[in-house]
Amino acid sequence: MNKNSFDVSGCTLYVALFPCNECAKVIIQAGIKTIIYASDTNKDRVSILASKKMLDLAGIEYRYIQNY
């Protein structure tokens, strides 16, 4: 995600895989409010569990999209 040239605060982010904890930090700092993801294949990894906890604490909504 390259947000250096545009304000993405309040935007929706569409991703293929659920973001890891390092990506979640950037998403939270950027002010993104919603994440739409197509796959959660790594859902049992510690980095994904940490990511979900951080996003929950930040009040960021995330939704799985089926049949895109």
Side-chain angles (χ1 to χ4, degrees), residues 23-46:
C23 293
K25 291 178 191 178
V26 175
I27 292 167
I28 292 166
Q29 290 176 351
I32 291 173
K33 294 297 176 195
T34 307
I35 301 169
I36 309 295
Y37 63 97
S39 176
D40 200 7
T41 57
N42 300 320
K43 64 184 173 200
D44 297 325
R45 289 189 177 187
V46 173

Side-chain angles (χ1 to χ4, degrees), residues 1-58:
M1 179 173 75
N2 184 358
K3 67 161 203 78
N4 292 331
S5 62
F6 190 74
D7 181 18
V8 295
S9 181
C11 290
T12 299
L13 177 68
Y14 293 84
V15 294
L17 293 173
F18 194 89
C20 70
N21 61 319
E22 294 300 320
C23 293
K25 291 178 191 178
V26 175
I27 292 167
I28 292 166
Q29 290 176 351
I32 291 173
K33 294 297 176 195
T34 307
I35 301 169
I36 309 295
Y37 63 97
S39 176
D40 200 7
T41 57
N42 300 320
K43 64 184 173 200
D44 297 325
R45 289 189 177 187
V46 173
S47 63
I48 301 301
L49 297 173
S51 174
K52 288 182 178 181
K53 187 166 189 166
M54 286 190 293
L55 294 170
D56 288 340
L57 290 170

